[in-house]
Coordinates of all heavy atoms in Angstrom, one line a residue:
M1306 N -53.7 -44.5 30.8 CA -52.9 -43.5 30.2 C -53.1 -42.1 30.9 O -54.3 -41.8 31.1 CB -53.2 -43.4 28.7 CG -52.4 -42.4 28.0 SD -52.6 -42.4 26.2 CE -51.1 -43.2 25.7
Q1307 N -52.1 -41.5 31.2 CA -52.2 -40.2 31.8 C -52.7 -39.1 30.8 O -52.5 -39.2 29.6 CB -50.9 -39.7 32.4 CG -50.4 -40.6 33.5 CD -49.0 -40.1 34.0 OE1 -48.4 -39.3 33.4 NE2 -48.6 -40.7 35.2
I1308 N -53.4 -38.1 31.4 CA -54.0 -37.1 30.6 C -53.0 -36.3 29.8 O -53.1 -36.0 28.6 CB -54.9 -36.2 31.4 CG1 -56.1 -37.0 32.0 CG2 -55.4 -35.0 30.7 CD1 -57.0 -36.3 32.9
T1309 N -51.8 -36.0 30.4 CA -50.8 -35.2 29.7 C -50.2 -36.0 28.6 O -49.9 -35.4 27.5 CB -49.7 -34.7 30.7 OG1 -49.2 -35.8 31.3 CG2 -50.3 -33.8 31.7
A1310 N -50.0 -37.3 28.8 CA -49.5 -38.1 27.7 C -50.5 -38.2 26.6 O -50.1 -38.2 25.4 CB -49.1 -39.5 28.3
L1311 N -51.7 -38.3 26.9 CA -52.8 -38.4 25.9 C -52.8 -37.1 25.1 O -53.0 -37.1 23.9 CB -54.1 -38.7 26.5 CG -55.3 -38.9 25.5 CD1 -55.0 -40.1 24.6 CD2 -56.6 -39.1 26.3
D1312 N -52.7 -36.0 25.8 CA -52.8 -34.7 25.1 C -51.6 -34.5 24.1 O -51.8 -34.1 23.0 CB -52.7 -33.5 26.1 CG -53.9 -33.3 26.9 OD1 -55.0 -33.8 26.4 OD2 -53.9 -32.7 28.0
K1313 N -50.4 -35.0 24.5 CA -49.3 -34.9 23.6 C -49.4 -35.8 22.4 O -49.1 -35.5 21.3 CB -48.0 -35.3 24.4 CG -47.6 -34.2 25.4 CD -46.3 -34.6 26.1 CE -46.0 -33.6 27.2 NZ -44.8 -34.0 28.0
L1314 N -50.0 -37.0 22.7 CA -50.2 -38.0 21.6 C -51.2 -37.4 20.6 O -51.0 -37.6 19.4 CB -50.7 -39.3 22.2 CG -51.0 -40.4 21.1 CD1 -49.8 -40.8 20.4 CD2 -51.7 -41.6 21.8
I1315 N -52.3 -36.8 21.1 CA -53.3 -36.3 20.2 C -52.7 -35.3 19.2 O -52.9 -35.3 18.0 CB -54.4 -35.6 21.0 CG1 -55.3 -36.7 21.7 CG2 -55.3 -34.8 20.2 CD1 -56.2 -36.2 22.8
W1316 N -51.9 -34.3 19.8 CA -51.4 -33.3 18.9 C -50.3 -33.8 18.0 O -50.1 -33.3 16.9 CB -51.0 -32.1 19.7 CG -52.1 -31.4 20.3 CD1 -52.5 -31.3 21.6 CD2 -53.2 -30.7 19.5 NE1 -53.7 -30.7 21.7 CE2 -54.1 -30.3 20.5 CE3 -53.4 -30.4 18.2 CZ2 -55.3 -29.6 20.1 CZ3 -54.5 -29.8 17.8 CH2 -55.4 -29.3 18.8
K1317 N -49.6 -34.8 18.4 CA -48.6 -35.4 17.5 C -49.2 -36.1 16.4 O -48.8 -36.0 15.2 CB -47.7 -36.4 18.3 CG -46.7 -35.7 19.2 CD -45.8 -36.7 19.9 CE -44.9 -36.0 20.9 NZ -44.1 -36.9 21.7
L1318 N -50.3 -36.8 16.7 CA -51.1 -37.5 15.6 C -51.7 -36.5 14.6 O -51.6 -36.7 13.4 CB -52.2 -38.4 16.2 CG -51.7 -39.7 16.8 CD1 -52.8 -40.4 17.5 CD2 -51.2 -40.6 15.7
I1319 N -52.3 -35.4 15.1 CA -53.0 -34.5 14.2 C -51.9 -33.7 13.4 O -52.0 -33.7 12.2 CB -53.8 -33.5 15.0 CG1 -55.0 -34.3 15.6 CG2 -54.3 -32.4 14.2 CD1 -55.9 -33.5 16.6
L1320 N -50.9 -33.1 14.0 CA -50.0 -32.3 13.3 C -49.0 -33.2 12.4 O -48.8 -32.8 11.3 CB -49.2 -31.5 14.3 CG -50.0 -30.4 15.0 CD1 -49.1 -29.7 16.1 CD2 -50.7 -29.5 14.1
G1321 N -48.6 -34.3 13.0 CA -47.8 -35.2 12.2 C -48.5 -35.8 11.0 O -48.0 -36.0 9.9
G1322 N -49.8 -36.1 11.2 CA -50.6 -36.7 10.2 C -50.8 -35.7 9.0 O -50.8 -36.0 7.9
M1323 N -51.0 -34.4 9.4 CA -51.2 -33.4 8.4 C -49.9 -33.2 7.6 O -49.9 -33.0 6.4 CB -51.6 -32.0 9.0 CG -53.0 -32.1 9.5 SD -53.7 -30.5 10.1 CE -52.4 -29.6 10.8
L1324 N -48.8 -33.3 8.3 CA -47.5 -33.2 7.5 C -47.3 -34.4 6.6 O -46.9 -34.2 5.4 CB -46.3 -33.2 8.5 CG -44.9 -33.1 7.9 CD1 -44.7 -31.8 7.2 CD2 -43.9 -33.3 9.0
V1325 N -47.6 -35.6 7.1 CA -47.4 -36.8 6.2 C -48.4 -36.7 5.1 O -48.1 -37.1 3.9 CB -47.6 -38.1 7.0 CG1 -47.7 -39.3 6.2 CG2 -46.4 -38.2 8.0
F1326 N -49.6 -36.3 5.3 CA -50.7 -36.1 4.3 C -50.2 -35.2 3.2 O -50.3 -35.5 2.0 CB -52.0 -35.6 5.0 CG -53.1 -35.3 4.0 CD1 -53.9 -36.3 3.6 CD2 -53.3 -34.1 3.4 CE1 -55.0 -36.1 2.8 CE2 -54.3 -33.8 2.6 CZ -55.2 -34.9 2.2
S1327 N -49.6 -34.0 3.6 CA -49.2 -33.1 2.6 C -48.0 -33.6 1.8 O -47.9 -33.3 0.6 CB -48.8 -31.7 3.2 OG -47.8 -31.9 4.1
V1328 N -47.1 -34.3 2.4 CA -46.0 -34.9 1.7 C -46.5 -36.0 0.7 O -46.1 -36.0 -0.5 CB -45.0 -35.6 2.7 CG1 -44.0 -36.5 1.9 CG2 -44.2 -34.5 3.5
G1329 N -47.5 -36.8 1.1 CA -48.0 -37.8 0.2 C -48.8 -37.1 -1.0 O -48.9 -37.7 -2.0
W1330 N -49.3 -36.0 -0.8 CA -50.0 -35.2 -1.8 C -49.1 -34.9 -3.0 O -49.5 -34.9 -4.1 CB -50.6 -34.0 -1.2 CG -51.5 -33.2 -2.2 CD1 -51.2 -32.3 -3.0 CD2 -52.9 -33.5 -2.3 NE1 -52.3 -31.8 -3.7 CE2 -53.4 -32.6 -3.3 CE3 -53.8 -34.3 -1.7 CZ2 -54.7 -32.5 -3.7 CZ3 -55.1 -34.2 -2.1 CH2 -55.6 -33.3 -3.1
F1331 N -47.8 -34.7 -2.6 CA -46.8 -34.2 -3.7 C -46.0 -35.3 -4.2 O -45.1 -35.1 -5.1 CB -45.9 -33.1 -3.1 CG -46.7 -31.8 -2.9 CD1 -47.1 -31.4 -1.7 CD2 -47.1 -31.1 -4.0 CE1 -47.8 -30.2 -1.5 CE2 -47.8 -29.9 -3.9 CZ -48.2 -29.5 -2.6
I1332 N -46.1 -36.6 -3.7 CA -45.4 -37.7 -4.3 C -46.1 -38.0 -5.7 O -47.3 -38.2 -5.7 CB -45.4 -38.9 -3.4 CG1 -44.5 -38.6 -2.1 CG2 -44.8 -40.1 -4.1 CD1 -44.5 -39.7 -1.1
P1333 N -45.3 -38.1 -6.7 CA -45.9 -38.4 -8.0 C -46.6 -39.7 -8.1 O -46.1 -40.7 -7.5 CB -44.8 -38.3 -9.0 CG -43.6 -38.4 -8.2 CD -43.9 -38.0 -6.8
D1334 N -47.7 -39.8 -8.8 CA -48.4 -41.0 -9.0 C -47.8 -41.8 -10.2 O -47.1 -41.3 -10.9 CB -49.9 -40.7 -9.3 CG -50.8 -41.8 -9.1 OD1 -50.4 -42.8 -8.4 OD2 -52.0 -41.8 -9.6
A1335 N -48.2 -43.1 -10.3 CA -47.7 -44.0 -11.3 C -48.1 -43.5 -12.7 O -47.4 -43.7 -13.7 CB -48.2 -45.4 -11.1
S1336 N -49.3 -42.8 -12.8 CA -49.8 -42.3 -14.0 C -49.0 -41.2 -14.6 O -49.0 -40.8 -15.7 CB -51.3 -41.9 -13.9 OG -51.4 -40.9 -13.0
A1337 N -48.2 -40.5 -13.7 CA -47.4 -39.4 -14.1 C -46.1 -39.9 -14.8 O -45.3 -39.1 -15.3 CB -47.0 -38.5 -12.9
G1338 N -45.8 -41.2 -14.7 CA -44.6 -41.7 -15.4 C -43.4 -41.7 -14.6 O -42.3 -41.9 -15.0
A1339 N -43.5 -41.3 -13.3 CA -42.3 -41.2 -12.4 C -41.9 -42.6 -11.8 O -40.8 -42.7 -11.3 CB -42.6 -40.3 -11.3
G1340 N -42.8 -43.6 -11.9 CA -42.5 -44.9 -11.4 C -42.6 -45.1 -9.9 O -42.1 -46.0 -9.4
A1341 N -43.3 -44.2 -9.2 CA -43.4 -44.3 -7.8 C -44.5 -45.3 -7.4 O -44.6 -45.6 -6.2 CB -43.7 -42.9 -7.2
G1342 N -45.3 -45.8 -8.3 CA -46.4 -46.7 -8.0 C -47.4 -46.0 -7.2 O -47.8 -44.9 -7.4
G1343 N -47.9 -46.8 -6.2 CA -49.0 -46.2 -5.4 C -48.5 -45.6 -4.1 O -49.2 -45.5 -3.1
L1344 N -47.2 -45.3 -4.1 CA -46.6 -44.8 -2.8 C -47.2 -43.5 -2.4 O -47.4 -43.3 -1.2 CB -45.1 -44.6 -3.0 CG -44.3 -44.1 -1.8 CD1 -44.4 -45.2 -0.7 CD2 -42.9 -43.8 -2.2
G1345 N -47.5 -42.6 -3.3 CA -48.2 -41.3 -2.9 C -49.5 -41.5 -2.3 O -49.8 -40.9 -1.2
W1346 N -50.3 -42.4 -2.8 CA -51.6 -42.7 -2.2 C -51.4 -43.4 -0.8 O -52.2 -43.1 0.1 CB -52.5 -43.6 -3.1 CG -53.0 -42.8 -4.2 CD1 -52.5 -42.9 -5.5 CD2 -54.0 -41.8 -4.2 NE1 -53.2 -42.0 -6.3 CE2 -54.2 -41.4 -5.5 CE3 -54.8 -41.3 -3.2 CZ2 -55.1 -40.4 -5.9 CZ3 -55.8 -40.4 -3.6 CH2 -55.9 -39.9 -4.9
L1347 N -50.4 -44.2 -0.7 CA -50.2 -44.9 0.6 C -49.8 -43.9 1.7 O -50.3 -44.0 2.8 CB -49.1 -46.0 0.4 CG -48.8 -46.8 1.7 CD1 -50.0 -47.6 2.1 CD2 -47.6 -47.7 1.4
V1348 N -48.9 -43.0 1.4 CA -48.5 -42.0 2.3 C -49.6 -41.1 2.6 O -49.8 -40.7 3.8 CB -47.2 -41.3 1.8 CG1 -46.8 -40.1 2.6 CG2 -46.0 -42.2 1.6
W1349 N -50.3 -40.7 1.6 CA -51.5 -39.8 1.8 C -52.5 -40.4 2.7 O -53.0 -39.8 3.6 CB -52.1 -39.5 0.4 CG -53.3 -38.6 0.4 CD1 -53.3 -37.3 0.4 CD2 -54.7 -39.0 0.4 NE1 -54.5 -36.8 0.3 CE2 -55.4 -37.8 0.3 CE3 -55.3 -40.2 0.4 CZ2 -56.8 -37.9 0.3 CZ3 -56.7 -40.2 0.3 CH2 -57.4 -39.1 0.3
A1350 N -52.8 -41.7 2.5 CA -53.8 -42.4 3.3 C -53.3 -42.6 4.8 O -54.1 -42.5 5.7 CB -54.1 -43.7 2.7
A1351 N -52.0 -42.8 4.9 CA -51.5 -43.0 6.3 C -51.6 -41.7 7.1 O -51.9 -41.6 8.3 CB -50.0 -43.4 6.2
G1352 N -51.3 -40.6 6.4 CA -51.4 -39.2 7.1 C -52.9 -38.9 7.4 O -53.2 -38.4 8.5
A1353 N -53.8 -39.2 6.5 CA -55.2 -39.0 6.7 C -55.7 -39.8 7.9 O -56.5 -39.3 8.8 CB -56.0 -39.3 5.5
M1354 N -55.2 -41.1 8.0 CA -55.7 -41.9 9.1 C -55.1 -41.4 10.4 O -55.8 -41.5 11.4 CB -55.2 -43.4 8.8 CG -55.7 -44.4 9.8 SD -57.4 -44.5 9.9 CE -57.7 -45.5 8.4
A1355 N -53.9 -40.9 10.4 CA -53.3 -40.4 11.7 C -54.2 -39.2 12.1 O -54.4 -39.0 13.3 CB -51.9 -40.0 11.5
V1356 N -54.6 -38.3 11.2 CA -55.4 -37.2 11.6 C -56.7 -37.6 12.1 O -57.2 -37.1 13.1 CB -55.6 -36.2 10.4 CG1 -56.6 -35.1 10.7 CG2 -54.2 -35.6 10.0
V1357 N -57.3 -38.6 11.5 CA -58.6 -39.1 12.0 C -58.5 -39.7 13.4 O -59.3 -39.4 14.2 CB -59.2 -40.1 11.0 CG1 -60.4 -40.9 11.6 CG2 -59.6 -39.4 9.7
V1358 N -57.5 -40.5 13.6 CA -57.3 -41.1 14.9 C -57.0 -40.0 16.0 O -57.6 -40.0 17.1 CB -56.1 -42.1 14.9 CG1 -55.7 -42.5 16.3 CG2 -56.5 -43.3 14.1
G1359 N -56.3 -39.0 15.6 CA -56.0 -37.8 16.5 C -57.3 -37.1 16.9 O -57.5 -36.7 18.0
V1360 N -58.2 -36.9 15.9 CA -59.4 -36.2 16.1 C -60.4 -37.0 17.0 O -61.0 -36.5 17.9 CB -60.1 -35.8 14.8 CG1 -61.5 -35.3 15.0 CG2 -59.3 -34.7 14.1
V1361 N -60.4 -38.3 16.8 CA -61.2 -39.2 17.6 C -60.7 -39.2 19.0 O -61.5 -39.1 20.0 CB -61.2 -40.6 17.0 CG1 -61.8 -41.6 18.0 CG2 -62.0 -40.7 15.7
L1362 N -59.4 -39.3 19.2 CA -58.8 -39.2 20.6 C -59.1 -37.8 21.2 O -59.2 -37.7 22.4 CB -57.3 -39.5 20.5 CG -56.9 -40.9 20.3 CD1 -55.4 -41.1 20.3 CD2 -57.5 -41.8 21.5
F1363 N -59.2 -36.8 20.4 CA -59.5 -35.5 20.9 C -60.9 -35.5 21.6 O -61.1 -35.0 22.7 CB -59.5 -34.5 19.8 CG -59.7 -33.0 20.2 CD1 -58.8 -32.3 20.8 CD2 -61.0 -32.5 20.1 CE1 -59.0 -31.0 21.1 CE2 -61.3 -31.2 20.4 CZ -60.3 -30.4 21.0
F1364 N -61.8 -36.1 20.9 CA -63.2 -36.2 21.5 C -63.2 -37.2 22.7 O -64.0 -37.0 23.7 CB -64.2 -36.6 20.4 CG -64.5 -35.5 19.5 CD1 -64.0 -35.5 18.2 CD2 -65.2 -34.4 19.9 CE1 -64.3 -34.4 17.4 CE2 -65.5 -33.3 19.1 CZ -65.0 -33.3 17.8
V1365 N -62.4 -38.2 22.7 CA -62.4 -39.1 23.8 C -61.8 -38.4 25.0 O -62.3 -38.5 26.1 CB -61.5 -40.4 23.5 CG1 -61.1 -41.2 24.7 CG2 -62.2 -41.2 22.5
R1366 N -60.8 -37.6 24.8 CA -60.2 -36.8 25.9 C -61.2 -35.8 26.4 O -61.2 -35.5 27.6 CB -58.9 -36.1 25.4 CG -58.4 -35.0 26.2 CD -57.9 -35.5 27.6 NE -57.4 -34.4 28.4 CZ -58.1 -33.9 29.4 NH1 -59.4 -34.2 29.6 NH2 -57.6 -32.9 30.1
A1367 N -62.0 -35.2 25.6 CA -63.0 -34.2 26.0 C -64.0 -34.9 27.0 O -64.6 -34.2 27.8 CB -63.7 -33.6 24.8
R1368 N -64.3 -36.2 26.8 CA -65.2 -36.9 27.6 C -64.6 -37.4 28.9 O -65.4 -37.9 29.8 CB -65.8 -38.1 26.8 CG -66.5 -37.7 25.5 CD -67.8 -37.1 25.7 NE -68.7 -38.1 26.3 CZ -69.9 -37.9 26.6 NH1 -70.5 -36.8 26.4 NH2 -70.6 -38.9 27.2
M1369 N -63.3 -37.4 29.0 CA -62.7 -37.9 30.2 C -62.8 -36.9 31.4 O -62.7 -35.7 31.2 CB -61.2 -38.2 30.0 CG -60.9 -39.4 29.1 SD -59.2 -39.6 28.7 CE -58.5 -39.9 30.3
P1370 N -62.9 -37.4 32.6 CA -62.9 -36.5 33.8 C -61.5 -36.0 34.0 O -60.5 -36.7 33.8 CB -63.4 -37.4 34.9 CG -63.1 -38.8 34.5 CD -63.2 -38.8 33.0
D1371 N -61.4 -34.8 34.6 CA -60.1 -34.3 34.9 C -59.6 -34.8 36.2 O -59.1 -35.4 36.7 CB -60.1 -32.8 35.0 CG -60.3 -32.1 33.6 OD1 -59.8 -32.7 32.7 OD2 -60.9 -31.1 33.6

């Protein structure tokens, strides 16, 4: 993978993951009576996982030679 493509992927994962995380935070839970089930937690977890993968790739990129 080229370095520029990896850089773009890293920031898309981090920023996109933070956006998805925040959207998942505001989806009502099943206990609120809205009937959304566990969708909020699922979206929240997917966003958090994307941020974690982006941060790990950030450190991988830092170790790569230019």
Side-chain angles (χ1 to χ4, degrees):
M1306 179 174 259
Q1307 293 180 349
I1308 293 175
T1309 56
L1311 184 61
D1312 287 340
K1313 290 178 183 179
L1314 177 64
I1315 288 168
W1316 290 111
K1317 285 179 184 177
L1318 282 170
I1319 292 174
L1320 296 175
M1323 289 189 328
L1324 177 66
V1325 171
F1326 178 86
S1327 63
V1328 168
W1330 188 269
F1331 290 104
I1332 293 177
D1334 198 19
S1336 63
L1344 182 65
W1346 286 105
L1347 181 65
V1348 173
W1349 180 84
M1354 186 61 76
V1356 171
V1357 168
V1358 170
V1360 169
V1361 168
L1362 285 177
F1363 182 82
F1364 287 108
V1365 168
R1366 167 62 183 100
R1368 304 279 301 177
M1369 290 175 62
D1371 288 331

